[in-house]
Amino acid sequence: RHYEDNQFEQALALFRVLEPDMDSFDSPQQAKYAYYRGMTDYRLAGLAAQGTTVTDPRKGFRDNARHWLAVAMAISQQTPGGLTDDQKQRATESLAELNKDFYPGAEASNELPGASKSAGDAGAP
């Protein structure tokens, strides 16, 4: 409820308390947890003041957002029903933006930069 009320700090505190029990959730609940955790960090990254290159709180929020949204999408692909179509779209768009932090200049795609396109290319120099 805190997330829907834009009370992201309170939502994050609650998610951190629940995180150790995440394995007791069924797969759809795990996908929802990971989605809301990731989107909470994503929203907080947008609200955080920019720090120095050594201590930038936005980077930590963005790193966590990327992790949790990727977890949510992976669970959702394995076990459909946890996320709505709108949530999947929002997570996909947010991940594309967050991936630019890790792959600057690379176009958003589902493949990692440098990944081979076919199995026949595996192991080629």
Side-chain angles (χ1 to χ4, degrees), residues 72-106:
M73 292 302 292
I75 294 170
S76 180
Q77 288 173 352
Q78 292 292 321
T79 310
L83 301 179
T84 67
D85 289 339
D86 286 343
Q87 289 171 330
K88 288 179 198 174
Q89 180 179 347
R90 195 170 299 116
T92 299
E93 291 168 357
S94 299
L95 275 170
E97 178 193 330
L98 293 164
N99 279 334
K100 292 177 186 176
D101 292 352
F102 291 87
Y103 309 112

PDB file of all heavy atoms in Angstrom, residues 72-106:
ATOM      1  N   ALA A  72      12.110 -10.131 -11.138  1.00  0.00           N
ATOM      2  CA  ALA A  72      10.658 -10.170 -11.370  1.00  0.00           C
ATOM      3  C   ALA A  72      10.352 -10.699 -12.771  1.00  0.00           C
ATOM      4  O   ALA A  72       9.461 -11.542 -12.940  1.00  0.00           O
ATOM      5  CB  ALA A  72      10.051  -8.782 -11.193  1.00  0.00           C
ATOM      6  N   MET A  73      11.091 -10.222 -13.770  1.00  0.00           N
ATOM      7  CA  MET A  73      10.837 -10.666 -15.139  1.00  0.00           C
ATOM      8  C   MET A  73      11.213 -12.132 -15.325  1.00  0.00           C
ATOM      9  O   MET A  73      10.506 -12.870 -16.018  1.00  0.00           O
ATOM     10  CB  MET A  73      11.596  -9.770 -16.124  1.00  0.00           C
ATOM     11  CG  MET A  73      11.068  -8.348 -16.176  1.00  0.00           C
ATOM     12  SD  MET A  73       9.322  -8.229 -16.623  1.00  0.00           S
ATOM     13  CE  MET A  73       9.393  -8.760 -18.326  1.00  0.00           C
ATOM     14  N   ALA A  74      12.295 -12.563 -14.713  1.00  0.00           N
ATOM     15  CA  ALA A  74      12.694 -13.965 -14.828  1.00  0.00           C
ATOM     16  C   ALA A  74      11.651 -14.884 -14.198  1.00  0.00           C
ATOM     17  O   ALA A  74      11.277 -15.903 -14.786  1.00  0.00           O
ATOM     18  CB  ALA A  74      14.061 -14.178 -14.171  1.00  0.00           C
ATOM     19  N   ILE A  75      11.179 -14.535 -13.024  1.00  0.00           N
ATOM     20  CA  ILE A  75      10.145 -15.348 -12.366  1.00  0.00           C
ATOM     21  C   ILE A  75       8.874 -15.342 -13.196  1.00  0.00           C
ATOM     22  O   ILE A  75       8.239 -16.380 -13.393  1.00  0.00           O
ATOM     23  CB  ILE A  75       9.874 -14.849 -10.935  1.00  0.00           C
ATOM     24  CG1 ILE A  75      11.093 -15.059 -10.050  1.00  0.00           C
ATOM     25  CG2 ILE A  75       8.647 -15.563 -10.338  1.00  0.00           C
ATOM     26  CD1 ILE A  75      11.002 -14.375  -8.697  1.00  0.00           C
ATOM     27  N   SER A  76       8.515 -14.174 -13.700  1.00  0.00           N
ATOM     28  CA  SER A  76       7.294 -14.048 -14.497  1.00  0.00           C
ATOM     29  C   SER A  76       7.355 -14.888 -15.768  1.00  0.00           C
ATOM     30  O   SER A  76       6.356 -15.451 -16.194  1.00  0.00           O
ATOM     31  CB  SER A  76       7.059 -12.573 -14.843  1.00  0.00           C
ATOM     32  OG  SER A  76       5.896 -12.425 -15.597  1.00  0.00           O
ATOM     33  N   GLN A  77       8.539 -14.986 -16.368  1.00  0.00           N
ATOM     34  CA  GLN A  77       8.681 -15.810 -17.573  1.00  0.00           C
ATOM     35  C   GLN A  77       8.571 -17.289 -17.250  1.00  0.00           C
ATOM     36  O   GLN A  77       8.020 -18.060 -18.027  1.00  0.00           O
ATOM     37  CB  GLN A  77      10.009 -15.513 -18.264  1.00  0.00           C
ATOM     38  CG  GLN A  77      10.023 -14.161 -18.938  1.00  0.00           C
ATOM     39  CD  GLN A  77      11.390 -13.784 -19.490  1.00  0.00           C
ATOM     40  OE1 GLN A  77      12.389 -14.462 -19.256  1.00  0.00           O
ATOM     41  NE2 GLN A  77      11.426 -12.681 -20.204  1.00  0.00           N
ATOM     42  N   GLN A  78       9.076 -17.687 -16.083  1.00  0.00           N
ATOM     43  CA  GLN A  78       9.013 -19.091 -15.678  1.00  0.00           C
ATOM     44  C   GLN A  78       7.628 -19.487 -15.184  1.00  0.00           C
ATOM     45  O   GLN A  78       7.190 -20.610 -15.388  1.00  0.00           O
ATOM     46  CB  GLN A  78      10.042 -19.373 -14.573  1.00  0.00           C
ATOM     47  CG  GLN A  78      11.470 -19.280 -15.023  1.00  0.00           C
ATOM     48  CD  GLN A  78      11.828 -20.385 -15.996  1.00  0.00           C
ATOM     49  OE1 GLN A  78      11.407 -21.525 -15.842  1.00  0.00           O
ATOM     50  NE2 GLN A  78      12.579 -20.043 -17.017  1.00  0.00           N
ATOM     51  N   THR A  79       6.962 -18.563 -14.492  1.00  0.00           N
ATOM     52  CA  THR A  79       5.662 -18.837 -13.896  1.00  0.00           C
ATOM     53  C   THR A  79       4.728 -17.670 -14.192  1.00  0.00           C
ATOM     54  O   THR A  79       4.698 -16.694 -13.443  1.00  0.00           O
ATOM     55  CB  THR A  79       5.773 -19.015 -12.369  1.00  0.00           C
ATOM     56  OG1 THR A  79       6.810 -19.944 -12.086  1.00  0.00           O
ATOM     57  CG2 THR A  79       4.465 -19.485 -11.770  1.00  0.00           C
ATOM     58  N   PRO A  80       3.994 -17.736 -15.296  1.00  0.00           N
ATOM     59  CA  PRO A  80       3.087 -16.629 -15.628  1.00  0.00           C
ATOM     60  C   PRO A  80       2.016 -16.428 -14.557  1.00  0.00           C
ATOM     61  O   PRO A  80       1.702 -17.326 -13.790  1.00  0.00           O
ATOM     62  CB  PRO A  80       2.454 -17.079 -16.947  1.00  0.00           C
ATOM     63  CG  PRO A  80       3.359 -18.139 -17.488  1.00  0.00           C
ATOM     64  CD  PRO A  80       3.988 -18.782 -16.294  1.00  0.00           C
ATOM     65  N   GLY A  81       1.490 -15.221 -14.505  1.00  0.00           N
ATOM     66  CA  GLY A  81       0.386 -14.930 -13.602  1.00  0.00           C
ATOM     67  C   GLY A  81       0.739 -14.021 -12.454  1.00  0.00           C
ATOM     68  O   GLY A  81      -0.144 -13.527 -11.771  1.00  0.00           O
ATOM     69  N   GLY A  82       2.012 -13.787 -12.223  1.00  0.00           N
ATOM     70  CA  GLY A  82       2.397 -12.940 -11.111  1.00  0.00           C
ATOM     71  C   GLY A  82       2.288 -11.455 -11.418  1.00  0.00           C
ATOM     72  O   GLY A  82       1.955 -10.668 -10.544  1.00  0.00           O
ATOM     73  N   LEU A  83       2.586 -11.086 -12.667  1.00  0.00           N
ATOM     74  CA  LEU A  83       2.572  -9.682 -13.056  1.00  0.00           C
ATOM     75  C   LEU A  83       1.529  -9.431 -14.132  1.00  0.00           C
ATOM     76  O   LEU A  83       1.297 -10.280 -14.989  1.00  0.00           O
ATOM     77  CB  LEU A  83       3.949  -9.262 -13.599  1.00  0.00           C
ATOM     78  CG  LEU A  83       5.142  -9.425 -12.677  1.00  0.00           C
ATOM     79  CD1 LEU A  83       6.420  -8.996 -13.385  1.00  0.00           C
ATOM     80  CD2 LEU A  83       4.950  -8.637 -11.396  1.00  0.00           C
ATOM     81  N   THR A  84       0.940  -8.257 -14.073  1.00  0.00           N
ATOM     82  CA  THR A  84      -0.008  -7.872 -15.123  1.00  0.00           C
ATOM     83  C   THR A  84       0.785  -7.471 -16.371  1.00  0.00           C
ATOM     84  O   THR A  84       2.004  -7.246 -16.305  1.00  0.00           O
ATOM     85  CB  THR A  84      -0.878  -6.679 -14.677  1.00  0.00           C
ATOM     86  OG1 THR A  84      -0.023  -5.521 -14.546  1.00  0.00           O
ATOM     87  CG2 THR A  84      -1.599  -6.959 -13.368  1.00  0.00           C
ATOM     88  N   ASP A  85       0.097  -7.352 -17.489  1.00  0.00           N
ATOM     89  CA  ASP A  85       0.751  -6.908 -18.716  1.00  0.00           C
ATOM     90  C   ASP A  85       1.337  -5.506 -18.548  1.00  0.00           C
ATOM     91  O   ASP A  85       2.433  -5.228 -19.035  1.00  0.00           O
ATOM     92  CB  ASP A  85      -0.221  -6.944 -19.897  1.00  0.00           C
ATOM     93  CG  ASP A  85      -0.572  -8.361 -20.328  1.00  0.00           C
ATOM     94  OD1 ASP A  85       0.203  -9.295 -20.011  1.00  0.00           O
ATOM     95  OD2 ASP A  85      -1.613  -8.541 -20.992  1.00  0.00           O
ATOM     96  N   ASP A  86       0.627  -4.631 -17.850  1.00  0.00           N
ATOM     97  CA  ASP A  86       1.141  -3.281 -17.605  1.00  0.00           C
ATOM     98  C   ASP A  86       2.409  -3.316 -16.759  1.00  0.00           C
ATOM     99  O   ASP A  86       3.363  -2.581 -17.019  1.00  0.00           O
ATOM    100  CB  ASP A  86       0.094  -2.407 -16.902  1.00  0.00           C
ATOM    101  CG  ASP A  86      -1.034  -1.977 -17.823  1.00  0.00           C
ATOM    102  OD1 ASP A  86      -0.873  -2.055 -19.062  1.00  0.00           O
ATOM    103  OD2 ASP A  86      -2.081  -1.553 -17.296  1.00  0.00           O
ATOM    104  N   GLN A  87       2.431  -4.173 -15.754  1.00  0.00           N
ATOM    105  CA  GLN A  87       3.621  -4.285 -14.909  1.00  0.00           C
ATOM    106  C   GLN A  87       4.802  -4.830 -15.705  1.00  0.00           C
ATOM    107  O   GLN A  87       5.925  -4.346 -15.569  1.00  0.00           O
ATOM    108  CB  GLN A  87       3.341  -5.163 -13.696  1.00  0.00           C
ATOM    109  CG  GLN A  87       2.415  -4.515 -12.693  1.00  0.00           C
ATOM    110  CD  GLN A  87       1.959  -5.469 -11.609  1.00  0.00           C
ATOM    111  OE1 GLN A  87       1.839  -6.676 -11.815  1.00  0.00           O
ATOM    112  NE2 GLN A  87       1.690  -4.920 -10.429  1.00  0.00           N
ATOM    113  N   LYS A  88       4.555  -5.812 -16.555  1.00  0.00           N
ATOM    114  CA  LYS A  88       5.626  -6.360 -17.390  1.00  0.00           C
ATOM    115  C   LYS A  88       6.175  -5.288 -18.328  1.00  0.00           C
ATOM    116  O   LYS A  88       7.390  -5.169 -18.494  1.00  0.00           O
ATOM    117  CB  LYS A  88       5.120  -7.546 -18.206  1.00  0.00           C
ATOM    118  CG  LYS A  88       4.865  -8.787 -17.399  1.00  0.00           C
ATOM    119  CD  LYS A  88       4.351  -9.881 -18.307  1.00  0.00           C
ATOM    120  CE  LYS A  88       3.680 -10.969 -17.532  1.00  0.00           C
ATOM    121  NZ  LYS A  88       3.054 -11.952 -18.408  1.00  0.00           N
ATOM    122  N   GLN A  89       5.287  -4.513 -18.921  1.00  0.00           N
ATOM    123  CA  GLN A  89       5.720  -3.456 -19.833  1.00  0.00           C
ATOM    124  C   GLN A  89       6.540  -2.400 -19.078  1.00  0.00           C
ATOM    125  O   GLN A  89       7.594  -1.985 -19.541  1.00  0.00           O
ATOM    126  CB  GLN A  89       4.528  -2.807 -20.520  1.00  0.00           C
ATOM    127  CG  GLN A  89       4.929  -1.697 -21.479  1.00  0.00           C
ATOM    128  CD  GLN A  89       3.740  -1.067 -22.182  1.00  0.00           C
ATOM    129  OE1 GLN A  89       2.632  -1.578 -22.150  1.00  0.00           O
ATOM    130  NE2 GLN A  89       3.992   0.057 -22.835  1.00  0.00           N
ATOM    131  N   ARG A  90       6.051  -1.986 -17.917  1.00  0.00           N
ATOM    132  CA  ARG A  90       6.754  -0.982 -17.113  1.00  0.00           C
ATOM    133  C   ARG A  90       8.130  -1.509 -16.685  1.00  0.00           C
ATOM    134  O   ARG A  90       9.131  -0.783 -16.733  1.00  0.00           O
ATOM    135  CB  ARG A  90       5.916  -0.606 -15.897  1.00  0.00           C
ATOM    136  CG  ARG A  90       6.373   0.651 -15.201  1.00  0.00           C
ATOM    137  CD  ARG A  90       5.380   1.131 -14.156  1.00  0.00           C
ATOM    138  NE  ARG A  90       4.081   1.448 -14.730  1.00  0.00           N
ATOM    139  CZ  ARG A  90       2.931   0.801 -14.454  1.00  0.00           C
ATOM    140  NH1 ARG A  90       2.911  -0.189 -13.601  1.00  0.00           N
ATOM    141  NH2 ARG A  90       1.808   1.165 -15.012  1.00  0.00           N
ATOM    142  N   ALA A  91       8.183  -2.766 -16.287  1.00  0.00           N
ATOM    143  CA  ALA A  91       9.462  -3.363 -15.878  1.00  0.00           C
ATOM    144  C   ALA A  91      10.420  -3.443 -17.062  1.00  0.00           C
ATOM    145  O   ALA A  91      11.611  -3.129 -16.922  1.00  0.00           O
ATOM    146  CB  ALA A  91       9.234  -4.747 -15.272  1.00  0.00           C
ATOM    147  N   THR A  92       9.921  -3.833 -18.218  1.00  0.00           N
ATOM    148  CA  THR A  92      10.758  -3.930 -19.415  1.00  0.00           C
ATOM    149  C   THR A  92      11.323  -2.569 -19.799  1.00  0.00           C
ATOM    150  O   THR A  92      12.513  -2.434 -20.096  1.00  0.00           O
ATOM    151  CB  THR A  92       9.951  -4.528 -20.586  1.00  0.00           C
ATOM    152  OG1 THR A  92       9.517  -5.844 -20.218  1.00  0.00           O
ATOM    153  CG2 THR A  92      10.779  -4.607 -21.852  1.00  0.00           C
ATOM    154  N   GLU A  93      10.481  -1.542 -19.781  1.00  0.00           N
ATOM    155  CA  GLU A  93      10.935  -0.191 -20.121  1.00  0.00           C
ATOM    156  C   GLU A  93      11.945   0.327 -19.095  1.00  0.00           C
ATOM    157  O   GLU A  93      12.958   0.926 -19.459  1.00  0.00           O
ATOM    158  CB  GLU A  93       9.742   0.762 -20.206  1.00  0.00           C
ATOM    159  CG  GLU A  93       8.836   0.483 -21.388  1.00  0.00           C
ATOM    160  CD  GLU A  93       7.506   1.219 -21.325  1.00  0.00           C
ATOM    161  OE1 GLU A  93       7.230   1.919 -20.319  1.00  0.00           O
ATOM    162  OE2 GLU A  93       6.726   1.078 -22.287  1.00  0.00           O
ATOM    163  N   SER A  94      11.686   0.072 -17.827  1.00  0.00           N
ATOM    164  CA  SER A  94      12.597   0.523 -16.779  1.00  0.00           C
ATOM    165  C   SER A  94      13.934  -0.208 -16.876  1.00  0.00           C
ATOM    166  O   SER A  94      14.997   0.405 -16.730  1.00  0.00           O
ATOM    167  CB  SER A  94      11.973   0.308 -15.398  1.00  0.00           C
ATOM    168  OG  SER A  94      10.778   1.052 -15.273  1.00  0.00           O
ATOM    169  N   LEU A  95      13.899  -1.511 -17.148  1.00  0.00           N
ATOM    170  CA  LEU A  95      15.132  -2.275 -17.297  1.00  0.00           C
ATOM    171  C   LEU A  95      15.948  -1.781 -18.486  1.00  0.00           C
ATOM    172  O   LEU A  95      17.183  -1.703 -18.408  1.00  0.00           O
ATOM    173  CB  LEU A  95      14.830  -3.764 -17.469  1.00  0.00           C
ATOM    174  CG  LEU A  95      14.649  -4.551 -16.195  1.00  0.00           C
ATOM    175  CD1 LEU A  95      14.113  -5.951 -16.492  1.00  0.00           C
ATOM    176  CD2 LEU A  95      15.940  -4.636 -15.420  1.00  0.00           C
ATOM    177  N   ALA A  96      15.274  -1.439 -19.574  1.00  0.00           N
ATOM    178  CA  ALA A  96      15.993  -0.919 -20.739  1.00  0.00           C
ATOM    179  C   ALA A  96      16.741   0.358 -20.368  1.00  0.00           C
ATOM    180  O   ALA A  96      17.908   0.544 -20.746  1.00  0.00           O
ATOM    181  CB  ALA A  96      15.022  -0.663 -21.888  1.00  0.00           C
ATOM    182  N   GLU A  97      16.108   1.226 -19.607  1.00  0.00           N
ATOM    183  CA  GLU A  97      16.772   2.455 -19.159  1.00  0.00           C
ATOM    184  C   GLU A  97      17.920   2.142 -18.203  1.00  0.00           C
ATOM    185  O   GLU A  97      19.021   2.673 -18.327  1.00  0.00           O
ATOM    186  CB  GLU A  97      15.782   3.386 -18.473  1.00  0.00           C
ATOM    187  CG  GLU A  97      16.442   4.651 -17.964  1.00  0.00           C
ATOM    188  CD  GLU A  97      15.573   5.454 -17.023  1.00  0.00           C
ATOM    189  OE1 GLU A  97      14.342   5.417 -17.154  1.00  0.00           O
ATOM    190  OE2 GLU A  97      16.152   6.114 -16.136  1.00  0.00           O
ATOM    191  N   LEU A  98      17.670   1.262 -17.242  1.00  0.00           N
ATOM    192  CA  LEU A  98      18.688   0.928 -16.243  1.00  0.00           C
ATOM    193  C   LEU A  98      19.880   0.206 -16.867  1.00  0.00           C
ATOM    194  O   LEU A  98      21.013   0.373 -16.411  1.00  0.00           O
ATOM    195  CB  LEU A  98      18.070   0.076 -15.134  1.00  0.00           C
ATOM    196  CG  LEU A  98      17.038   0.801 -14.270  1.00  0.00           C
ATOM    197  CD1 LEU A  98      16.210  -0.203 -13.471  1.00  0.00           C
ATOM    198  CD2 LEU A  98      17.699   1.818 -13.364  1.00  0.00           C
ATOM    199  N   ASN A  99      19.650  -0.576 -17.901  1.00  0.00           N
ATOM    200  CA  ASN A  99      20.737  -1.287 -18.563  1.00  0.00           C
ATOM    201  C   ASN A  99      21.724  -0.334 -19.220  1.00  0.00           C
ATOM    202  O   ASN A  99      22.885  -0.682 -19.422  1.00  0.00           O
ATOM    203  CB  ASN A  99      20.199  -2.291 -19.580  1.00  0.00           C
ATOM    204  CG  ASN A  99      19.751  -3.572 -18.923  1.00  0.00           C
ATOM    205  OD1 ASN A  99      20.218  -3.941 -17.853  1.00  0.00           O
ATOM    206  ND2 ASN A  99      18.818  -4.265 -19.562  1.00  0.00           N
ATOM    207  N   LYS A 100      21.285   0.870 -19.534  1.00  0.00           N
ATOM    208  CA  LYS A 100      22.195   1.857 -20.121  1.00  0.00           C
ATOM    209  C   LYS A 100      23.300   2.234 -19.143  1.00  0.00           C
ATOM    210  O   LYS A 100      24.381   2.642 -19.560  1.00  0.00           O
ATOM    211  CB  LYS A 100      21.421   3.103 -20.557  1.00  0.00           C
ATOM    212  CG  LYS A 100      20.504   2.838 -21.724  1.00  0.00           C
ATOM    213  CD  LYS A 100      19.699   4.069 -22.070  1.00  0.00           C
ATOM    214  CE  LYS A 100      18.677   3.759 -23.141  1.00  0.00           C
ATOM    215  NZ  LYS A 100      17.826   4.921 -23.426  1.00  0.00           N
ATOM    216  N   ASP A 101      23.052   2.082 -17.836  1.00  0.00           N
ATOM    217  CA  ASP A 101      24.095   2.325 -16.834  1.00  0.00           C
ATOM    218  C   ASP A 101      25.234   1.311 -16.977  1.00  0.00           C
ATOM    219  O   ASP A 101      26.389   1.616 -16.711  1.00  0.00           O
ATOM    220  CB  ASP A 101      23.541   2.201 -15.410  1.00  0.00           C
ATOM    221  CG  ASP A 101      22.547   3.294 -15.042  1.00  0.00           C
ATOM    222  OD1 ASP A 101      22.386   4.257 -15.816  1.00  0.00           O
ATOM    223  OD2 ASP A 101      21.929   3.161 -13.975  1.00  0.00           O
ATOM    224  N   PHE A 102      24.895   0.088 -17.381  1.00  0.00           N
ATOM    225  CA  PHE A 102      25.863  -0.992 -17.458  1.00  0.00           C
ATOM    226  C   PHE A 102      26.439  -1.165 -18.848  1.00  0.00           C
ATOM    227  O   PHE A 102      27.545  -1.649 -19.008  1.00  0.00           O
ATOM    228  CB  PHE A 102      25.228  -2.314 -16.997  1.00  0.00           C
ATOM    229  CG  PHE A 102      24.947  -2.323 -15.531  1.00  0.00           C
ATOM    230  CD1 PHE A 102      23.756  -1.816 -15.036  1.00  0.00           C
ATOM    231  CD2 PHE A 102      25.882  -2.806 -14.643  1.00  0.00           C
ATOM    232  CE1 PHE A 102      23.495  -1.799 -13.677  1.00  0.00           C
ATOM    233  CE2 PHE A 102      25.639  -2.792 -13.277  1.00  0.00           C
ATOM    234  CZ  PHE A 102      24.445  -2.287 -12.800  1.00  0.00           C
ATOM    235  N   TYR A 103      25.667  -0.792 -19.870  1.00  0.00           N
ATOM    236  CA  TYR A 103      26.090  -0.946 -21.255  1.00  0.00           C
ATOM    237  C   TYR A 103      25.920   0.385 -21.981  1.00  0.00           C
ATOM    238  O   TYR A 103      25.089   0.516 -22.867  1.00  0.00           O
ATOM    239  CB  TYR A 103      25.271  -2.036 -21.947  1.00  0.00           C
ATOM    240  CG  TYR A 103      25.226  -3.329 -21.169  1.00  0.00           C
ATOM    241  CD1 TYR A 103      24.040  -3.774 -20.598  1.00  0.00           C
ATOM    242  CD2 TYR A 103      26.374  -4.088 -20.988  1.00  0.00           C
ATOM    243  CE1 TYR A 103      23.998  -4.955 -19.865  1.00  0.00           C
ATOM    244  CE2 TYR A 103      26.336  -5.269 -20.259  1.00  0.00           C
ATOM    245  CZ  TYR A 103      25.145  -5.694 -19.713  1.00  0.00           C
ATOM    246  OH  TYR A 103      25.111  -6.859 -18.994  1.00  0.00           O
ATOM    247  N   PRO A 104      26.691   1.403 -21.604  1.00  0.00           N
ATOM    248  CA  PRO A 104      26.524   2.714 -22.230  1.00  0.00           C
ATOM    249  C   PRO A 104      26.752   2.626 -23.734  1.00  0.00           C
ATOM    250  O   PRO A 104      27.670   1.973 -24.188  1.00  0.00           O
ATOM    251  CB  PRO A 104      27.583   3.593 -21.573  1.00  0.00           C
ATOM    252  CG  PRO A 104      28.267   2.778 -20.554  1.00  0.00           C
ATOM    253  CD  PRO A 104      27.778   1.375 -20.650  1.00  0.00           C
ATOM    254  N   GLY A 105      25.885   3.280 -24.491  1.00  0.00           N
ATOM    255  CA  GLY A 105      26.007   3.302 -25.939  1.00  0.00           C
ATOM    256  C   GLY A 105      25.407   2.106 -26.634  1.00  0.00           C
ATOM    257  O   GLY A 105      25.233   2.118 -27.841  1.00  0.00           O
ATOM    258  N   ALA A 106      25.103   1.060 -25.897  1.00  0.00           N
ATOM    259  CA  ALA A 106      24.507  -0.125 -26.505  1.00  0.00           C
ATOM    260  C   ALA A 106      23.009   0.079 -26.640  1.00  0.00           C
ATOM    261  O   ALA A 106      22.376   0.701 -25.802  1.00  0.00           O
ATOM    262  CB  ALA A 106      24.782  -1.362 -25.660  1.00  0.00           C
TER     263      ALA A 106
END
